[in-house]
Amino acid sequence: MVKFSKELEAQLIPEWKDYFVNYWLLKKHIKKIRLSRKPKQVAQVFSNSPGQYCSDFGHSVFDPIRNFISLISLKLHTSGSSCNGDHNEVVRHKSTENQDHVDQEEALHEYNDTELSQLFSEEDEVKLFFDMLDEELEKVNRFYTAREAEFLERGEGLLKQLQILQDLKPILDQRRRKSFLSPKSSLHGGFISRSNSNSTSSRHSDYSEGTDESSQTDEVIAALEKNGLNFIGAATRSKTKKGKPKMALRIDIPVTTPARTISAVTSTLWEDIANTPSKNSPREMINRKKIQCAEKMIRGAFVELYRGLGLLKTYCTLNMVAFTKILKKFDKVANRQASASYMKTVKGSHFISSDKVVRLMDEVESLFIKHFADNDRKKAMKFLRPQQQKDSHMVTFFVGLFTGCFVTLFVVYAILAHISGMFSPGSKDESGYMETVYPIFSTFALLSLHLFMYGCNLLMWKSTRINYTFIFEFSPKTALKYRDAFLICTSLMTSVVGALVIHLILRSSGFSAQQVDIIPGILLLIFLVMLICPLNVFYRSTRYSFLKVLRNIVFSPFYKVLMVDFFMADQLTSQIPLLRHMETTACYLLAGTFKTHHYDVCKKGTMYRELAYVISFAPYYWRAMQCARRWFEESDPKQLANLGKYVSAMVAAGARLTYAQQQEPTVFCTILVVVTSALATIYQLYWDFVQDWGFFNPTSRNPWLRDDLILRKKSIYYISIVINLVLRVAWVESVMRFIKVGNIEAKFLDFTLASLEVFRRGHWNFYRLENEHLNNVGKYRAVKAVPLPFRETDSDG
């Protein structure tokens, strides 16, 4: 049977952990009460009693008499004398008996004093326990009341948004029907005035146009007020000098796509160039697309509200069970019946007696079924209560199977390569084999290593209760688990090493290089087909989410930047060697080098060398554009500082690439590479430790760290700082080349340095998400805040 403490730790909400009942602290205090009830000195006083009466009969006022009788019988038994004993012996025994009687009375007196002191000590511990219990109850009530008020306010605003949406839908349908009957009227239909518009429509309209729009606006507002929407208010009916309403309803659709972004930016620029006051701003057209976007936003807000109410209900239930369990433990240890009376106080507290959350939850559920699921409860529950994917033992089995296959195939490959002399110095196949196989093998190896590190991250985040699914906004139903990541990694590497073994066997069997060297290309093609396969196999939801994130990264300035987007972009900055290997592989396949075996065609080409700069700059450029987008939306100066970090990394990457392409680098070029790389590294280390990990807080109670730490041992954090520092400066070896090696060894050294960077990134990932999780905990963010589409604005008259 699982202990409740472990069950509570597994079920509590990580972001609200500090506001649950501190069950573990109360449990420790009950242990103190148990220890205070144990007699200590009495056991020592009566431990030397020959008759062991303490253990057999307990303590009594007749103990001295029993001890006297036992002493007399013991003496008679040992002496073997008759009843006519010596008078002196009797006198001696009497004096001994009198002395023992005095000692026993003193012992009883000391026992009574000890019992009283223990009784007072126990009462103090009990009083302290109930004081702690009162503090915990007050903490739970206070937190529950604050969250309840927050969700009730959210629900009230959301109900008004839904009512507006339901009122606008028939008006839009009516306008569409009129547009079919009267084509000319469609040019002026469906508008609501607004003060700050992002539309790019015409800035000038004639008087009749304004009159039509105003009359239609009156119809919309009259319809909204007719259905009881008082928050628009009577002010909406008052007009300006031009006959336009002073209050206007605005539809705010987030600029999350390139089309909306371009429209918003061009509209803002046009307003700045034309210098047109807001009172002459264009009117906002209500069309079907905007209504659909608004409906989708409100649906998402309902889902998050329902999830938040469910979490609050779980919070209430777990705390109630915790109070019940801890009071039962107290009754058992203290031998009292205090749980019944105190549980009346608990049940009468606000977090138990209030039913507002349950009623709002039922109302949200019924509204969602009616308006967003066509009265289909089963369909609605897929949104409101998504089922988490159950762990399968088959996944664990296949992880072990593919791991064993990978190790076996790798050993076979190493033996065959040694026998065939493929990597022997001066071998005729050495250069060709390294040019054809090495880039693709390195690509898949680095990708598999990154997947392995990501699987380790998922395992650590789960074990430390870091809510990564909420941070990345993953769907609980399709979120990738650590076993799945390990399965993808091991199956991919097994396929790659198996292809290498087949390639090596065919080459050793006498097949021509033109026939065999196409195998790596076939392997890459299979991988790309599996990545875009539309069938619901091989983790389709994860594959499509990955492609969607890559699209958002490539078009960074035009898509709204989410946590998963810039987190993935950071991963790409550590995979520049992989992108370079993909460039080499693409050139090898597209240029037909696998047929001609002229391997210098790619390396000596001007386009290849210029493309190398683009590939080296691209991840940093994408990440910098994400920072620019976030600065544009949030006006946070930290984003500009973060942008500067990636610009410095671009400069350092360009300098190192130029240095590597020179046969005999000059001293100036060497100094330039060292200076730019050192500055970029210092910049990156500062951002890693201070901004991403939250370390080096001067006021922290943990020296050189932050106040809140998830891992118990502080030494792990200090070791991690050193590891990140060492791996950040690994570029020194790639520039200075302290280790003198040949061609093959140099490629393996580059692969090792690239692997160390992937390892550093996986190591960085854990602490980055730990810091993000602790920020959510500090702000009680357990549910996502969804922006609402409808709001009212003032119109200048």
Side-chain angles (χ1 to χ4, degrees):
M1 185 175 179
V2 181
K3 291 185 177 180
F4 176 72
S5 58
K6 293 184 178 180
E7 184 180 349
L8 176 63
E9 187 175 5
Q11 294 185 9
L12 58 79
I13 301 155
E15 290 78 8
W16 298 348
K17 182 178 180 180
D18 295 338
Y19 296 92
F20 276 81
V21 175
N22 198 336
Y23 183 82
W24 299 271
L25 182 62
L26 294 173
K27 193 175 177 182
K28 287 182 180 179
H29 202 79
I30 288 179
K31 289 183 179 179
K32 291 183 180 179
I33 296 175
R34 179 187 295 149
L35 293 175
S36 67
R37 290 177 57 83
K38 288 184 178 180
K40 299 178 181 179
Q41 297 180 4
V42 177
Q44 296 177 359
V45 172
F46 292 98
S47 61
N48 296 324
S49 176
Q52 299 295 326
Y53 290 114
C54 293
S55 59
D56 294 337
F57 300 99
H59 303 293
S60 173
V61 294
F62 296 102
D63 285 343
I65 298 174
R66 284 198 292 263
N67 287 333
F68 173 74
I69 293 174
S70 65
L71 289 172
I72 292 295
S73 60
L74 181 63
K75 183 64 179 176
L76 292 175
H77 177 72
T78 54
S79 63
S81 61
S82 62
C83 294
N84 299 322
D86 185 57
H87 178 71
N88 294 330
E89 289 293 327
V90 174
V91 172
R92 185 172 64 81
H93 280 294
K94 285 184 178 181
S95 62
T96 304
E97 183 267 333
N98 290 332
Q99 184 64 33
D100 290 340
H101 181 73
V102 172
D103 292 340
Q104 296 296 337
E105 286 183 348
E106 292 179 355
L108 284 173
H109 181 68
E110 292 177 0
Y111 166 70
N112 291 331
D113 291 343
T114 304
E115 189 178 31
L116 288 174
S117 63
Q118 289 174 354
L119 181 62
F120 286 124
S121 175
E122 180 186 349
E123 290 297 330
D124 290 339
E125 294 292 342
V126 170
K127 184 178 182 301
L128 183 59
F129 172 77
F130 279 100
D131 288 342
M132 294 171 60
L133 211 59
D134 290 338
E135 291 177 1
E136 294 297 318
L137 181 59
E138 183 182 358
K139 177 183 72 175
V140 171
N141 266 326
R142 186 168 57 249
F143 182 80
Y144 180 87
T145 304
R147 300 284 77 74
E148 181 187 58
E150 176 187 343
F151 287 122
L152 289 177
E153 182 181 359
R154 235 195 237 197
E156 183 180 356
L158 195 53
L159 292 177
K160 291 178 180 179
Q161 295 279 322
L162 180 62
Q163 193 170 356
I164 295 175
L165 178 66
Q166 296 305 314
D167 290 335
L168 286 178
K169 278 184 175 181
I171 295 174
L172 180 64
D173 293 338
Q174 184 180 3
R175 293 301 173 193
R176 290 183 65 191
R177 285 194 298 269
K178 285 184 179 181
S179 66
F180 285 113
L181 297 176
S182 177
K184 292 183 179 179
S185 64
S186 64
L187 297 174
H188 311 297
F191 288 87
I192 289 183
S193 66
R194 57 183 282 188
S195 59
N196 297 317
S197 174
N198 291 330
S199 175
T200 57
S201 59
S202 172
R203 314 294 276 186
H204 304 286
S205 59
D206 55 15
Y207 176 77
S208 61
E209 208 173 59
T211 304
D212 292 340
E213 291 173 0
S214 179
S215 63
Q216 290 163 7
T217 301
D218 290 342
E219 291 178 9
V220 173
I221 295 174
L224 295 177
E225 289 182 350
K226 183 179 179 181
N227 290 323
L229 282 180
N230 298 322
F231 79 101
I232 293 180
T236 56
R237 307 297 296 162
S238 59
K239 305 293 184 65
T240 62
K241 294 179 180 179
K242 295 185 178 181
K244 299 178 182 179
K246 289 183 179 179
M247 297 295 293
L249 188 66
R250 178 175 177 175
I251 303 180
D252 286 335
I253 305 298
V255 285
T256 56
T257 61
R260 295 176 190 170
T261 303
I262 294 172
S263 176
V265 172
T266 54
S267 176
T268 303
L269 293 176
W270 173 255
E271 289 180 359
D272 292 340
I273 294 173
N275 196 20
T276 306
S278 59
K279 62 184 179 181
N280 293 329
S281 60
R283 298 180 177 272
E284 177 183 14
M285 184 176 67
I286 297 181
N287 53 33
R288 189 174 186 83
K289 188 175 181 180
K290 286 190 176 182
I291 292 297
Q292 288 176 349
C293 290
E295 183 176 7
K296 187 176 180 181
M297 292 171 65
I298 294 174
R299 185 185 66 184
F302 265 102
V303 171
E304 289 300 319
L305 176 61
Y306 190 84
R307 180 173 176 270
L309 294 172
L311 291 178
L312 198 57
K313 187 178 178 181
T314 303
Y315 174 83
C316 171
T317 304
L318 289 177
N319 281 301
M320 179 64 184
V321 176
F323 278 117
T324 305
K325 294 285 186 180
I326 203 67
L327 285 170
K328 284 184 178 179
K329 282 184 177 292
F330 172 78
D331 287 349
K332 184 178 180 181
V333 171
N335 197 17
R336 303 189 183 191
Q337 300 297 326
S339 60
S341 59
Y342 197 86
M343 282 307 296
K344 291 181 180 179
T345 305
V346 174
K347 292 179 180 178
S349 58
H350 183 74
F351 83 99
I352 295 295
S353 61
S354 176
D355 63 342
K356 294 180 181 179
V357 170
V358 177
R359 286 192 286 110
L360 180 59
M361 202 171 178
D362 294 338
E363 184 178 3
V364 169
E365 185 176 319
S366 61
L367 287 173
F368 193 92
I369 294 172
K370 178 181 178 181
H371 296 289
F372 300 103
D374 298 329
N375 293 320
D376 187 350
R377 178 178 175 81
K378 186 176 180 180
K379 179 181 178 182
M381 289 300 105
K382 290 181 180 179
F383 291 95
L384 297 178
R385 299 177 187 173
Q387 298 295 326
Q388 292 189 355
Q389 187 179 4
K390 295 182 180 179
D391 294 333
S392 174
H393 294 293
M394 290 300 295
V395 175
T396 307
F397 169 75
F398 279 112
V399 169
L401 177 65
F402 285 127
T403 301
C405 292
F406 164 70
V407 173
T408 303
L409 289 172
F410 188 81
V411 172
V412 170
Y413 176 76
I415 294 173
L416 291 176
H418 178 72
I419 294 174
S420 62
M422 188 64 66
F423 298 111
S424 301
S427 174
K428 63 178 182 179
D429 296 329
E430 174 192 346
S431 60
Y433 192 81
M434 293 303 296
E435 295 293 339
T436 56
V437 175
Y438 171 75
I440 296 182
F441 173 77
S442 299
T443 299
F444 284 106
L446 292 175
L447 180 61
S448 300
L449 178 61
H450 214 135
L451 283 171
F452 175 77
M453 294 302 300
Y454 181 65
C456 294
N457 290 147
L458 294 177
L459 177 61
M460 287 297 298
W461 291 334
K462 181 182 179 181
S463 61
T464 54
R465 301 280 294 160
I466 294 177
N467 196 357
Y468 65 91
T469 55
F470 170 68
I471 295 174
F472 289 139
E473 300 181 18
F474 288 159
S475 172
K477 187 176 181 180
T478 59
L480 203 67
K481 295 181 173 59
Y482 70 91
R483 290 187 181 92
D484 301 319
F486 289 148
L487 177 61
I488 297 173
C489 167
T490 53
S491 60
L492 181 62
M493 282 308 299
T494 301
S495 303
V496 172
V497 178
L500 289 176
V501 171
I502 295 174
H503 181 274
L504 191 58
I505 291 174
L506 293 178
R507 286 286 295 268
S508 302
S509 300
F511 284 85
S512 64
Q514 289 82 358
Q515 295 174 330
V516 176
D517 287 351
I518 195 62
I519 292 178
I522 295 175
L523 180 66
L524 183 61
L525 182 62
I526 293 174
F527 173 76
L528 293 176
V529 170
M530 290 178 58
L531 184 62
I532 62 176
C533 178
L535 301 179
N536 192 12
V537 292
F538 305 121
Y539 302 99
R540 184 181 65 176
S541 59
T542 302
R543 290 186 284 109
Y544 280 16
S545 298
F546 174 72
L547 294 175
K548 181 181 178 181
V549 171
L550 287 182
R551 179 205 64 186
N552 296 348
I553 292 172
V554 173
F555 300 100
S556 295
F558 305 110
Y559 282 97
K560 184 177 177 62
V561 182
L562 303 177
M563 174 71 185
V564 66
D565 296 331
F566 65 77
F567 187 84
M568 179 60 72
D570 281 328
Q571 310 306 305
L572 292 179
T573 59
S574 295
Q575 285 287 15
I576 293 178
L578 181 146
L579 299 177
R580 292 293 310 279
H581 290 320
M582 291 180 65
E583 176 198 12
T584 304
T585 302
C587 181
Y588 166 75
L589 295 174
L590 296 178
T593 309
F594 66 94
K595 295 180 179 179
T596 61
H597 289 267
H598 295 157
Y599 303 111
D600 294 337
V601 173
C602 291
K603 292 187 176 181
K604 292 184 178 180
T606 305
M607 183 179 295
Y608 177 86
R609 287 182 292 179
E610 293 176 352
L611 191 60
Y613 284 96
V614 175
I615 291 175
S616 300
F617 290 162
Y620 299 118
Y621 169 78
W622 293 331
R623 192 64 185 89
M625 289 299 100
Q626 288 179 338
C627 295
R629 172 65 185 256
R630 293 187 65 188
W631 171 78
F632 180 77
E633 292 180 342
E634 304 170 10
S635 300
D636 186 2
K638 285 185 179 180
Q639 298 301 327
L640 290 180
N642 200 13
L643 186 149
K645 181 188 73 172
Y646 293 105
V647 171
S648 66
M650 289 173 63
V651 174
R656 285 202 293 267
L657 186 57
T658 304
Y659 178 86
Q661 290 181 353
Q662 293 181 357
Q663 296 294 333
E664 295 181 358
T666 61
V667 177
F668 173 78
C669 186
T670 304
I671 295 175
L672 182 64
V673 169
V674 172
V675 171
T676 55
S677 299
L679 292 177
T681 302
I682 294 172
Y683 206 157
Q684 291 165 351
L685 285 172
Y686 165 78
W687 206 267
D688 286 346
F689 295 142
V690 178
Q691 300 297 332
D692 291 336
W693 293 3
F695 291 169
F696 297 106
N697 185 358
T699 60
S700 173
R701 58 175 175 263
N702 301 310
W704 302 100
L705 302 177
R706 63 173 103 87
D707 287 336
D708 298 322
L709 302 174
I710 290 182
L711 302 179
R712 295 181 180 179
K713 294 183 179 180
K714 297 180 185 179
S715 58
I716 297 178
Y717 292 95
Y718 296 117
I719 294 172
S720 298
I721 291 175
V722 175
I723 290 175
N724 190 70
L725 173 63
V726 172
L727 295 180
R728 272 290 189 186
V729 298
W731 57 265
V732 176
E733 170 59 30
S734 63
V735 173
M736 306 307 296
R737 293 295 181 183
F738 296 110
I739 304 176
K740 304 299 182 182
V741 291
N743 184 32
I744 297 179
E745 291 80 3
K747 290 185 179 295
F748 281 113
L749 180 60
D750 292 338
F751 175 77
T752 303
L753 294 176
S755 301
L756 289 176
E757 173 58 22
V758 173
F759 174 79
R760 188 202 66 80
R761 180 58 65 181
H763 172 261
W764 176 91
N765 289 342
F766 174 79
Y767 297 102
R768 176 66 182 90
L769 224 66
E770 179 194 18
N771 190 35
E772 187 71 20
H773 173 76
L774 292 175
N775 290 336
N776 290 339
V777 171
K779 298 177 182 178
Y780 323 123
R781 284 191 302 221
V783 291
K784 186 171 59 174
V786 179
L788 300 177
F790 302 116
R791 69 183 181 91
E792 56 181 358
T793 59
D794 294 325
S795 292
D796 297 332

